[in-house]
């Protein structure tokens, strides 16, 4: 089995497990978004994956600007503004989030790592910092919800709070932990989550 085939198999297993673990998702998520998640996390055509990421981002509240960013290979001013909003909003969210004393160190680490990641130049942020951004997305969920974020029923809990937040939580839970495990370019994999936290 080639490396690409093995990689695709791991992602498909993760996506299948995700759907099996969360049968309630069809109650909250439209079929086009469920199909987009399947496409985003399956090996295939980059254009299809980009379109799927745009559908997921739109389910999270994005307008057509995110679709344009996803479809372009060029690093645009619009994309720079989105990343700046991501940095500023996530920083505010983390600073304002009350956490247990035992989690104060994590809160400080998240702020430090966020600043470090966002110093990366332009489009390189996605490939150079993929694993760190995935970790940041997961840490943001933990800081907002504490140990609840690690419970098996968290995704359903998030959907009950607000469907968009549920989609974000499901998406973050399904993201491959490293760029080597991802089947789409890092930018395509990460942009829906970056968008969500840039406007949350």
């Amino acid at each position: 089995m080639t490396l690409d085939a093995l990689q695709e198999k791991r992602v498909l297993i993760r996506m299948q497990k995700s759907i099996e673990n969360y049968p309630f998702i069809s109650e909250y998520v439209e079929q086009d978004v469920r199909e987009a998640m399947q496409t985003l996390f399956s090996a295939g055509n980059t254009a299809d994956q980009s379109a799927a990421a745009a559908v997921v981002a739109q389910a999270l509240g994005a307008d057509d600007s995110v679709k344009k960013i996803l479809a372009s290979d060029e690093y645009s001013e619009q994309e720079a503004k989105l990343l700046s909003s991501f940095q500023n909003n996530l920083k505010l969210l983390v600073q304002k989030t009350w956490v247990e004393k035992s989690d104060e160190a994590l809160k400080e680490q998240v702020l430090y790592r966020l600043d470090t990641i966002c110093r990366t130049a332009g489009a390189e942020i996605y490939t150079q910092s993929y694993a760190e951004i995935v970790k940041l997305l997961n840490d943001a969920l933990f800081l907002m919800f504490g140990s609840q974020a690690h419970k098996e029923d968290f995704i359903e809990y998030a959907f009950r709070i607000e469907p968009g937040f549920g989609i974000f939580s499901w998406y973050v839970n399904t993201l491959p932990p490293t760029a080597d495990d991802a089947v789409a370019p890092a930018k395509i994999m990460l942009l829906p989550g970056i968008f969500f936290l840039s406007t949350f």
Side-chain angles (χ1 to χ4, degrees):
M1 184 178 285
T2 67
L3 182 60
D4 287 345
L6 185 61
Q7 186 177 19
E8 179 180 0
K9 185 176 179 182
R10 276 191 300 215
V11 172
L12 287 173
I13 288 169
R14 185 185 306 109
M15 188 66 200
Q16 188 62 37
K17 185 178 175 194
S18 173
I19 291 169
E20 286 170 3
N21 285 348
Y22 313 123
F24 56 84
I25 283 175
S26 59
E27 297 173 31
Y28 296 97
V29 183
E30 297 292 330
Q31 184 173 346
D32 64 327
V33 179
R34 295 194 311 268
E35 289 172 357
M37 282 283 286
Q38 186 78 42
T39 301
L40 179 59
F41 291 103
S42 300
N45 179 301
T46 301
D48 291 343
Q49 291 166 329
S50 175
V55 170
V56 174
Q58 285 176 327
L60 296 170
D63 59 18
D64 283 343
S65 64
V66 173
K67 188 175 185 178
K68 289 176 189 168
I69 292 169
L70 281 161
S72 175
D73 291 332
E74 300 297 317
Y75 185 74
S76 66
E77 186 178 328
Q78 205 169 29
E79 189 172 353
K81 285 180 182 175
L82 177 65
L83 289 169
S84 177
S85 293
F86 166 70
Q87 180 180 14
N88 294 334
N89 279 10
L90 184 53
K91 187 179 287 190
L92 281 173
L93 178 67
V94 170
Q95 287 171 339
K96 290 181 177 182
T97 300
W98 181 89
V99 296
E100 298 286 345
K101 194 161 184 67
S102 58
D103 296 324
E104 284 290 341
L106 175 62
K107 190 173 176 176
E108 292 306 314
Q109 286 173 15
V110 167
L111 292 170
Y112 174 78
R113 288 183 358 243
L114 176 64
D115 285 342
T116 302
I117 288 166
C118 290
R119 279 191 217 111
T120 306
E124 298 302 311
I125 191 171
Y126 309 109
T127 51
Q128 287 183 13
S129 302
Y130 178 91
E132 275 299 310
I133 293 172
V134 171
K135 189 163 174 18
L136 271 182
L137 298 178
N138 279 287
D139 287 345
L141 284 175
F142 178 79
L143 289 173
M144 286 187 278
F145 292 96
S147 60
Q148 177 72 36
H150 292 166
K151 292 184 178 175
E152 283 190 27
D153 64 349
F154 175 68
I155 305 295
E156 186 169 12
Y157 173 75
F159 272 109
R160 285 199 309 265
I161 292 172
E162 201 273 315
F165 195 78
I167 292 170
F168 173 72
S169 302
W170 177 37
Y171 154 84
V172 169
N173 188 263
T174 311
L175 273 173
T178 68
D180 290 342
D181 292 324
V183 291
K187 174 179 173 178
I188 290 172
M189 298 297 289
L190 294 173
L191 217 60
I194 286 172
F195 165 78
F196 184 77
L197 290 179
S198 74
T199 58
F200 184 72

